[in-house]
Amino acid sequence: MEGIGAGGVRAGILFEPRTCGTSAVATGYRRGVPADPSPHAVEVRRSARRRRTVSAYREGDRTVVLIPARMSEAEERRWVGVMLDKLAAQESKRTIGDTELTERAARLSEQYFSGRARPRSVRWVTNQNTRWGSCTPAEGSIRLSHRLQGMPDYVVDYVLLHELAHLLVPGHGPRFWELLEAYPKTERARGFLEGVVAAERLPRIPAAREE
């Protein structure tokens, strides 16, 4: 059985809709690469009292991202992208069913693999807590963790393509990654999932002490 791991954690990112004492405003957030085009300007607020958590919320026509003051600019750029993606996904809250998921997999296979990957079944499952997706090539079956539901479409597409690629190439050798190079958002999707895993590994601090 082939699959893509999820680090053994639940999907999600801490959101704390409060105001930090220390702040730095970045209108439009031009330093980072935005996750998806958004009409919201981004304000990054750094707080010396915030130690390990990152959170975000909408405030009028702005998106406010709260981060620890010790974060580097590179970490800030990465987390802003992750949080914008996560907010957009939570706001959409649209869950597709197994039938639509199967049709989506067929379109992705046609677009990126010339239709060579042909799964017999594609479905959501609720018993995958250590993987984002899995594939059994002998059965032609693909299963996606329900924790992906509500995440950005490009992330779900990446996991689908990852499992479709396993129908063609077992393991994670060079030939496997060459297949995924055809999908232009592979690295971005991997970064998003890694951000989710990293955020869930952070210890939760009582809200009254975080700000």
Side-chain angles (χ1 to χ4, degrees):
M1 180 184 296
E2 302 288 355
I4 175 172
V9 296
R10 294 176 294 106
I13 293 179
L14 178 64
F15 290 87
E16 293 285 341
R18 294 179 174 83
T19 302
C20 290
T22 305
S23 65
V25 178
T27 304
Y29 198 72
R30 299 184 181 278
R31 282 183 293 172
V33 178
D36 282 313
S38 170
H40 299 277
V42 177
E43 177 180 337
V44 178
R45 297 179 182 174
R46 290 175 174 262
S47 173
R49 297 175 61 187
R50 178 176 289 268
R51 299 297 182 184
R52 302 179 66 87
T53 58
V54 178
S55 59
Y57 61 94
R58 304 293 194 200
E59 185 177 80
D61 61 352
R62 294 179 300 171
T63 299
V64 178
V65 181
L66 311 178
I67 65 174
R70 62 179 175 80
M71 270 195 179
S72 67
E73 288 190 6
E75 290 175 318
E76 176 183 320
R77 286 194 298 270
R78 181 170 69 87
W79 278 106
V80 167
V82 168
M83 300 306 280
L84 289 177
D85 271 338
K86 191 64 181 176
L87 275 177
Q90 292 207 349
E91 287 170 351
S92 66
K93 294 185 182 296
R94 189 178 76 89
T95 301
I96 65 175
D98 290 349
T99 298
E100 187 176 351
L101 195 64
T102 300
E103 294 171 350
R104 191 164 168 178
R107 289 195 300 270
L108 289 168
S109 176
E110 187 65 35
Q111 182 176 357
Y112 294 102
F113 301 150
S114 301
R116 290 181 295 133
R118 299 178 181 177
R120 295 189 182 94
S121 67
V122 184
R123 59 191 176 91
W124 297 107
V125 294
T126 58
N127 61 351
Q128 289 193 155
N129 295 318
T130 60
R131 295 172 181 238
W132 295 116
S134 62
C135 168
T136 305
E139 300 175 358
S141 62
I142 290 175
R143 297 162 299 280
L144 262 58
S145 171
H146 72 288
R147 291 170 300 143
L148 288 165
Q149 294 173 346
M151 289 192 185
D153 286 347
Y154 76 88
V155 176
V156 177
D157 286 350
Y158 164 71
V159 177
L160 275 173
L161 282 166
H162 187 111
E163 304 310 330
L164 286 167
H166 278 309
L167 294 178
L168 304 174
V169 179
H172 294 94
R175 287 183 59 232
F176 175 84
W177 293 111
E178 285 173 8
L179 283 175
L180 285 183
E181 283 179 1
Y183 183 55
K185 296 182 180 179
T186 288
E187 291 305 316
R188 180 175 161 194
R190 284 168 59 84
F192 179 91
L193 293 173
E194 288 170 0
V196 171
V197 171
E200 283 299 312
R201 284 176 175 162
L202 296 175
R204 298 302 178 88
I205 304 172
R209 294 172 54 194
E210 284 185 356
E211 310 303 339

